[in-house]
């Protein structure tokens, strides 16, 4: 063989090899691309299928757990007290198929359950502490949202799911308070049965429904088709109340398609070989006809395989296909279309060949669709067919296909069985119709508003309540007239429950309002509004519930009036008086405030009644009731026991019995003065005087009847003393009051004569350095000598002398501060001055303090005013304003006797304070009483948290000082560092320390 012959023989092989390599690479890339597309489509189909089951599961569980909202409404309506729980639960459960039991758990402890049978074990269960349930229970409480817990082993046996809805109520300060849970229990696996997850297996998929256990963080299988693990599943989240489950789905045979991939790979290789062969044929003159036939046969098999794949895909998706030749009208149907419609034995060029055995009522729309398809126009219709008396709903769609080679025109379409979707839609519509019919016959008004406040539904009862069907929408709520029932204030448009629900997502339950209907009548309505939220949590509308309680309120008031009030004078009767007295005793037991009972009997009333008749006597009693009511404070009680006997109850007089007796005496004297003037009855003047008996009470030292008996006995003492006078049950009280009166006179004279002076007790830091002092008032009486502040300060408070006395103390303290400022060794000292509550509330207090500072030249930044917690009880807003006004000029504030008062700690962060003062009652036993030690540590920690200073008073031993210093206290006052003394002694101590 020559060289040229070898080269000629080698050239076709080289070309063929290059073509083969290139074609193989391209075929491999194409196979990879199409395999990825097939896998993505398969996973998308699996995800869509799983999503359908997720929707059913979510709807079923949400519907079952909605019973907790009905129970929460009962809790809100009863303000935390639910009556008739068993009756209500018995009525609710038939509407919630999957709910096995419902619970009420105040404070997290199950107190009520229905049905009780088989569920006794859950009673008393503390959900917030029980190890298996506390994590999800606390999650519900802390987030304030309905939370699905489980599945887990139930204490009453078996496995189940529990929905917990936290309920919050408002307290007297308007704050939200956690009340507890309303709960619904579902058994598993029956609660999951409506989702019919087993159908996934019927469709060739393995599945697993699971969640992440919040306590352990591990996956918990809820339901699965097989215990064997499957790789790379499609995970669809199942959003449930305050938790998420996951539905994992994977084909039973796996995602890969080895046979198809092999076929595609073989096709690519064959194509590369074919191209290489063809390239070789261009060079070579001979073609192996037998090899070409083999390649054609192989290609045909590949096409058939592709068709087989398409047929299987349609069967999995349950979507058939067909082709309509527009020229001949011939219909070619896929295998899945044949399965859906059934075999067709007639001519292939008819509407029946395309649509199957159409229901007679739907033939018109299929005929129209057939004509449109023959004309090359698209259509999309839903119709019914009858196959062996089985009715099915189908959806048929068609689109014209691009014109094929040779000018052949055709249309291609799809056919889908939508019977299940139609059945579900029909059931939903029937459910809505049933719900609407139920709402129409309910005796309560129900409104549905959209997010803009426009009405979407109102039932007949709602129209009746408002006196007509007219509704102007949220933007025109000013046209409505309504008032809050508790205070009578008009309801502004933005204050309506519906407005608050839309604007802020606020739920309002059981608000009592008075409305003026469109026909002019007034009614009392129980009004509730609950916001509706979309999937993203945004408010999409609101449900408003109205109930006309006008007659109920009227009957309630009439019953109360008849049961608790005297019909003649409209004063409380004996029954209501005893209730008020019992309440007052309980209140005084907590506050240690004394109360007083004044028993009043009209002198010689029987004579007037017998002389002028009962009608005149009744008119006199009414006027006496009016005069008595004018003599007492708003919170006191005036009652009529019967006949001419009246009782006045005074509360919160004082913790000091002597001061309380003085207050009661002043009130009794005022009553004597008011009842003595003549009464004008029927153009005649009548004179009547009272005899008054007084007794004090505090806590439950005496029974209710004993208190009344003591006041009655004191009244008879007043009668025996000549009438028209007053007497205390304890005769010694008169001498006590006399001593107080004498002390008050001496106080006034002491102010005029300059008998008062100040002493100063040093305040030191943790190094022992004197940093300031507290000014303490002392009284040197010319006859009695030194009088204890505990004796004369209460008298000064009750008599009003505390105002001039407090002003004198401020002036004397400011002068001392100015004197200290002139000496280098004392100019660093600060001075604390105690301010009484009455002095602090004086409207001119700020002006007085600033004037004293200006006149004396004292440095306001060295002046510290000590106030007590009790001073803040009446009006925290005014107190803050007063403190802020003085604070702006440099005056500091210390909260004295901290921990002994009754103010809320929530006010503490709002007050412009500089320092907290630990009361000496806690310091005294800080080493022996664990409670006092804990309180002292807490006060120090609280002050540090709020950025406040803290000082402990009453420190008498080094051990007390060490304990306090060890826990962070850096300032002290007490006998350990010095007793109260004159300013010169304090100066000497300061110099000694320095």
């Amino acid at each position: 063989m020559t060289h040229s012959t070898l080269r000629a023989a080698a050239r076709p092989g080289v070309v063929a090899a290059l073509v083969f390599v290139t074609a193989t690479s391209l075929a491999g890339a194409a196979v990879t691309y199409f395999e990825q597309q097939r896998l993505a489509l398969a996973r998308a189909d699996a995800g869509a299928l799983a999503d359908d089951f997720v929707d059913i599961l979510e709807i079923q569980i949400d519907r079952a757990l909605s019973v907790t909202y009905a129970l929460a409404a009962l809790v809100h309506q009863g303000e935390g007290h639910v009556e008739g729980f068993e009756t209500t639960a018995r009525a609710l459960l038939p509407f919630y198929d999957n709910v096995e039991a419902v619970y009420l758990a105040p404070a997290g402890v199950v107190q009520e359950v229905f049905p009780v049978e088989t569920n006794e074990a859950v009673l008393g269960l503390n959900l917030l502490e029980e190890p298996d349930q506390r994590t999800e229970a606390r999650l519900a409480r802390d987030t304030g949202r309905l939370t699905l817990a489980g599945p887990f082993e139930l204490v009453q046996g078996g496995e189940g799911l529990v929905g917990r809805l936290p309920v919050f109520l408002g307290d007297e300060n308007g704050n939200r308070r956690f009340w507890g849970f309303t709960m619904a229990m579902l058994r598993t696996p029956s609660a999951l049965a409506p989702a019919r997850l087993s159908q996934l297996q019927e469709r060739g998929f393995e599945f697993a429904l699971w969640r992440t256990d919040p306590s352990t963080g591990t996956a918990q299988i809820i339901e699965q088709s097989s215990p064997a693990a499957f790789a790379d599943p499609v995970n669809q989240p199942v959003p449930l109340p305050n938790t998420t489950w996951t539905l994992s789905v994977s084909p039973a045979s796996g995602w890969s398609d080895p046979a198809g991939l092999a076929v595609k790979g073989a096709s690519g290789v064959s194509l590369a070989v074919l191209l290489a062969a063809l390239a070789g044929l261009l060079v070579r003159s001979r073609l192996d006809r037998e090899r070409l036939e083999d390649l054609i046969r192989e290609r045909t098999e590949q096409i058939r395989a592709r068709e087989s794949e398409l047929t299987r895909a349609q069967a999995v998706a349950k979507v058939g296909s067909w082709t309509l030749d527009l020229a001949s009208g011939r219909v070619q149907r896929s295998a899945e279309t044949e399965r859906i419609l059934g075999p067709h034995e007639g001519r292939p060029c008819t509407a029946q060949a395309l649509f199957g055995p159409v229901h007679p009522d739907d033939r018109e729309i299929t005929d129209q669709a057939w004509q449109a398809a023959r004309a090359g126009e698209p259509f999309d219709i839903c119709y019914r067919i009858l196959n062996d008396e089985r009715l099915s709903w189908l959806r048929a769609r068609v689109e014209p296909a691009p014109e094929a080679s040779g000018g052949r025109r055709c249309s291609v379409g799809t056919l889908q069985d939508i019977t299940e979707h139609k059945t579900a839609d029909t059931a939903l519509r029937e459910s809505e119709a049933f719900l609407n019919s139920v709402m129409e016959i309910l005796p309560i008004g129900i409104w549905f508003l959209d997010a803009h406040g426009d009405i979407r539904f109102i039932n007949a009862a709602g129209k009746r309540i408002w006196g007509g069907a007219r509704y102007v929408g949220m933007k025109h709520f000013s046209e409505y007239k309504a008032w809050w029932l508790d205070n009578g204030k008009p309801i502004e448009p933005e204050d309506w429950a519906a407005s608050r629900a839309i604007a802020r997502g606020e739920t309002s339950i059981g608000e009592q309002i008075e409305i003026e209907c469109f026909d002019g009548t007034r009614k009392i309505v129980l009004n509730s509004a609950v916001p509706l939220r979309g999937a993203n949590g945004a408010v999409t509308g609101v449900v408003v519930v109205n109930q006309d309680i006008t007659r109920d309120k009227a009957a309630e008031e009439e019953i109360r009036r008849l049961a608790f009030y005297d019909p003649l004078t409209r004063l409380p009767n004996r029954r209501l008086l005893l209730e008020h007295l019992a309440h007052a005793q309980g209140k005084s037991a907590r506050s240690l405030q004394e109360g007083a009972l004044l028993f009043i009997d009209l002198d010689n009333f029987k004579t007037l009644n017998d002389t002028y008749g009962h009608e005149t006597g009744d008119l006199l009693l009414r006027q006496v009731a009016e005069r008595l009511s004018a003599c007492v404070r708003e919170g006191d009680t005036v009652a009529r026991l019967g006949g001419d006997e009246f009782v006045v109850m005074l509360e919160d007089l004082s913790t000091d019995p002597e001061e309380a007796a003085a207050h009661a005496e002043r009130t009794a004297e005022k009553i004597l003065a008011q009842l003595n003037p003549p009464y004008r009855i029927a153009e005649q003047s009548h004179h009547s005087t009272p005899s008054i008996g007084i007794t004090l009470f505090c806590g439950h030292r005496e029974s209710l009847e004993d208190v009344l008996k003591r006041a009655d006995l004191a009244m008879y003492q007043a009668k025996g003393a000549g009438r028209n006078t007053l007497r205390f049950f304890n005769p010694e009280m008169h001498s006590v009051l006399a001593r107080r009166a004498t002390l008050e006179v001496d106080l006034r004279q002491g102010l005029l004569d300059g008998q008062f002076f100040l002493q100063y007790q040093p305040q030191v830091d943790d190094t022992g350095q004197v940093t300031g002092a507290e000014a303490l008032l002392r009284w040197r009486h010319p006859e009695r000598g030194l009088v204890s502040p505990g004796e004369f300060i209460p008298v000064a408070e009750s008599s009003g002398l505390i105002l001039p006395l407090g002003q004198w103390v401020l002036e004397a303290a400011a002068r001392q501060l100015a004197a200290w400022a002139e000496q280098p060794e004392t100019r660093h000292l600060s001075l604390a001055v105690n301010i009484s509550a009455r002095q602090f509330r004086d409207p001119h207090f700020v002006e007085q303090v600033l004037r004293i500072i200006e006149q004396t030249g004292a440095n306001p930044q060295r002046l510290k005013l000590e106030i007590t917690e009790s001073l803040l009880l009446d009006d925290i807003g005014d107190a803050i304003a007063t403190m802020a006004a003085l604070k702006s000029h440099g005056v500091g504030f210390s909260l004295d006797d901290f921990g002994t008062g009754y103010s809320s700690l929530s006010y503490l962060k709002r007050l412009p304070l500089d320092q907290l003062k630990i009361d000496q009652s806690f310091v005294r036993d800080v080493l022996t009483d664990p409670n006092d030690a804990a309180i002292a540590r807490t006060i120090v920690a609280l002050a540090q948290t709020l950025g406040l200073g803290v000082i402990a008073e009453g420190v008498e031993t080094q051990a007390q000082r060490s304990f306090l210093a060890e826990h962070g206290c850096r300032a002290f006052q007490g006998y350990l560092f010095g007793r109260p003394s004159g300013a010169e002694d304090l100066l000497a101590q300061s110099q000694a320390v320095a």
Side-chain angles (χ1 to χ4, degrees), residues 627 631 665-679 687-690 692 724 726:
R627 294 187 184 185
C631 293
E665 183 181 35
R666 287 194 296 270
T667 302
E669 289 173 347
K670 184 177 180 180
I671 292 173
L672 286 171
Q674 288 290 329
L675 299 189
N676 265 275
Y679 298 83
H687 185 72
S688 178
T689 60
I692 305 176
N724 196 22
L726 62 92

Side-chain angles (χ1 to χ4, degrees), residues 692-694 709-718 727-729:
I692 305 176
I694 309 172
K709 187 182 298 182
R710 290 187 174 191
D712 190 26
L713 291 173
M715 183 272 295
Y716 279 108
Q717 291 179 9
R727 285 292 183 269
F728 278 88
F729 173 75

Side-chain angles (χ1 to χ4, degrees), residues 76 484 495-498 500-501 505-511 527-531 543 545:
H76 280 285
W484 297 112
D495 291 334
W496 284 83
R500 303 198 309 272
E506 180 179 324
T507 297
S508 305
I509 301 295
E511 293 180 346
N527 189 50
S528 301
V530 179
V543 179
V545 179

Side-chain angles (χ1 to χ4, degrees), residues 825-896:
E825 56 269 32
T826 57
R827 65 179 51 171
H828 69 284
L829 298 179
S830 63
L831 188 56
V833 179
N834 289 284
I835 302 299
S836 71
R838 192 164 182 175
Q839 182 182 6
F840 185 86
R841 297 191 192 103
D842 190 316
H844 304 293
F845 177 69
V846 174
E847 177 184 345
Q848 291 173 356
V849 173
L850 296 179
R851 186 179 65 252
I852 290 172
I853 291 174
E854 182 180 0
Q855 291 175 351
T856 59
N859 183 357
Q861 295 183 346
R862 297 297 180 187
L863 178 61
K864 182 168 56 181
L865 303 183
E866 291 193 357
I867 59 176
T868 60
E869 291 183 69
S870 59
L871 180 148
L872 306 171
L873 291 178
D874 291 339
D875 194 332
I876 185 66
D878 287 347
I880 292 174
T882 299
M883 294 171 68
L886 291 173
K887 186 81 172 176
S888 65
H889 289 82
V891 178
F893 285 89
S894 176
L895 191 57
D896 194 13

